Amino acid sequence: MVASSELRTVFATMDADADGRISAAELQVCMRATLGENVTAEEAEALVASADADGDGMLCEAEFLKLALHCDSEDEDRTRGLRQAFGMYEMEGEGCITPASLGRMLGRLGNERGIGECRAMICRFDLDGDGVLSFDEFKIMMSA
């Protein structure tokens, strides 16, 4: 979980005109610059609206903190769910998904695949080229 002091620094950075509030346009620009996320104007406005408690169309620091902490909490829930799913595929206790363990799990799900197909599936997301999927590579695969 991100510390609120870090979030306050992020807020100050996003508040380009230093008026103590973040507009949807400021949020959009900063998300692109800091996170590499291309958020549309409509998405930025929806994010602001989702946390804009006083209805002024802007985020004060408290509203921003509430939004950021909510998003952080959702990320933690997603990671917990992905770890559980990873554990189902990672059956050999090696901390990775092998072509064999992927094949076994897909078979249990009624989607039989040969070892070659499983290798090919892993290869698409195997960033370090070791022939298996680490948890980080699995997260990327599940986001694709």
Side-chain angles (χ1 to χ4, degrees):
M1 184 172 248
V2 179
S4 61
S5 62
E6 292 174 32
L7 291 174
R8 284 185 172 84
T9 302
V10 171
F11 178 84
T13 303
M14 288 184 157
D15 184 14
D17 59 6
D19 67 353
R21 301 177 307 164
I22 296 175
S23 67
E26 288 171 319
L27 183 64
Q28 183 182 18
V29 168
C30 287
M31 286 184 75
R32 185 177 311 118
T34 59
L35 302 175
E37 302 244 353
N38 287 323
V39 177
T40 66
E42 293 79 21
E43 290 170 327
E45 288 170 11
L47 272 172
V48 169
S50 73
D52 181 18
D54 60 11
D56 67 353
M58 309 275 274
L59 294 179
C60 68
E61 188 175 282
E63 292 166 337
F64 173 77
L65 291 173
K66 183 177 178 184
L67 176 64
L69 291 173
H70 176 74
C71 290
D72 193 36
S73 170
E74 286 180 353
D75 286 347
E76 288 175 11
D77 290 345
R78 183 176 185 278
T79 298
R80 195 172 12 264
L82 285 174
R83 282 220 180 269
Q84 290 174 339
F86 181 79
M88 291 172 55
Y89 285 86
E90 181 269 325
M91 292 183 241
E92 280 134 29
E94 297 177 17
C96 60
I97 298 173
T98 66
S101 67
L102 176 61
R104 277 195 301 274
M105 188 61 190
L106 290 174
R108 287 181 183 168
L109 297 171
N111 192 358
E112 295 288 331
R113 300 292 172 122
I115 198 78
E117 266 186 291
C118 292
R119 275 193 194 100
M121 291 169 72
I122 285 176
C123 185
R124 289 184 55 210
F125 298 97
D126 180 17
L127 302 178
D128 60 9
D130 63 358
V132 298
L133 289 181
S134 67
F135 178 69
D136 289 334
E137 291 165 334
F138 178 74
K139 282 193 323 189
I140 292 167
M141 180 183 81
M142 297 306 285
S143 297

